[in-house]
Amino acid sequence: MAKGKMKKKSMRVDMTAMCDVSFLLLTFFVLTSTAKLPEPLPVDTPNSTVQTKLPESNLATVTIGEGKVFFGVLGKEDRKATLEKMGERYNMTFSEEEKQAFSYLEGIGSPMNELKGFLSLPADVRTKQSAAQKGIPTDSLDNQLKDWVQCARIVAKENNSLVLNVAIKGDAEEAYPQVKKVMDILQEQRVNKFFLVTGLRNEDF
């Protein structure tokens, strides 16, 4: 007796629902993610086997490299408030456009007398010339880094933060006296606890 042929069932799977979910997730991540700001002064940090995560808020970073010092604060509103405090201290007035431009900078390395000129540059030019800044003065006669740290601490206190966390990010090839000078400036303000940013390496090497 002849066997009846079995009809082949279609193996087609409707992927419409999965595609919709994928695009929804992609749209969500694109809209909620924030672009990483370019580093004002790229440095090659020394290696370390210690893993300590930096705070995600209330953090000031002092970057040292090529004999120059840069200073930055986390948070757009904190950056604006710190710039306003510095303007009051140096009898300078910054426009809303300048404050907005400053809020997008991860760090600044211009002396106060050159800061307005740097902020007036177009965004793309400012990004390209960021590392060409002279660096914040740290001399005893013109110690602007001390003022930046003090103003950032005042802003942190006004935001009901007891202590401003400070991180030092130095280049591995930077001369020790320059790093020590920054540490001395911090310790003069009784900032005796700070983070040292390093690159993670394997313990076997």
Side-chain angles (χ1 to χ4, degrees):
M1 184 175 179
K3 293 182 179 180
K5 292 184 178 180
M6 299 289 294
K7 291 183 179 180
K8 293 183 178 180
K9 294 183 178 180
S10 175
M11 298 300 293
R12 180 177 177 272
V13 179
D14 190 358
M15 300 291 291
T16 304
M18 184 174 290
C19 291
D20 290 343
V21 172
S22 299
F23 279 109
L24 284 173
L25 288 173
L26 179 62
T27 304
F28 172 77
F29 288 127
V30 169
L31 294 177
T32 57
S33 62
T34 55
K36 186 179 184 302
L37 297 176
E39 294 184 2
L41 181 67
V43 294
D44 183 16
T45 56
N47 293 326
S48 172
T49 58
V50 179
Q51 298 185 54
T52 302
K53 189 176 181 180
L54 293 175
E56 297 182 356
S57 62
N58 192 33
L59 175 69
T61 304
V62 181
T63 305
I64 310 169
E66 301 177 5
K68 298 183 291 186
V69 176
F70 283 61
F71 180 81
V73 181
L74 279 184
K76 292 179 62 176
E77 295 305 319
D78 288 345
R79 292 186 186 119
K80 288 182 181 180
T82 303
L83 180 64
E84 291 174 354
K85 295 293 182 184
M86 285 294 289
E88 294 172 3
R89 185 162 297 193
Y90 284 83
N91 296 319
M92 298 173 63
T93 303
F94 294 94
S95 65
E96 287 301 321
E97 291 76 13
E98 290 170 335
K99 294 177 185 177
Q100 190 69 17
F102 186 83
S103 70
Y104 287 107
L105 297 176
E106 186 174 305
I108 193 70
S110 291
M112 289 300 294
N113 61 342
E114 299 179 8
L115 183 55
K116 291 179 73 69
F118 180 74
L119 295 177
S120 66
L121 295 173
D124 56 339
V125 178
R126 193 166 56 239
T127 301
K128 292 178 181 178
Q129 297 185 2
S130 183
Q133 299 175 83
K134 293 181 179 179
I136 297 177
T138 57
D139 298 331
S140 57
L141 298 178
D142 186 18
N143 196 341
Q144 295 183 18
L145 177 61
K146 179 185 70 175
D147 293 333
W148 277 109
V149 175
Q150 286 181 347
C151 290
R153 295 180 73 189
I154 293 173
V155 171
K157 187 175 181 179
E158 291 177 349
N159 292 340
N160 298 322
S161 298
L162 297 178
V163 180
L164 174 70
N165 298 300
V166 179
I168 298 177
K169 185 177 181 180
D171 192 274
E173 302 297 327
E174 186 64 31
Y176 175 72
Q178 182 69 10
V179 179
K180 185 178 183 303
K181 182 187 292 186
V182 171
M183 291 182 178
D184 290 341
I185 292 173
L186 295 176
Q187 289 178 335
E188 286 174 4
Q189 302 179 60
R190 297 184 180 180
V191 181
N192 298 312
K193 182 180 179 180
F194 40 80
F195 297 91
L196 294 176
V197 181
T198 58
L200 184 64
R201 68 176 174 84
N202 195 303
E203 293 183 357
D204 297 333
F205 295 94

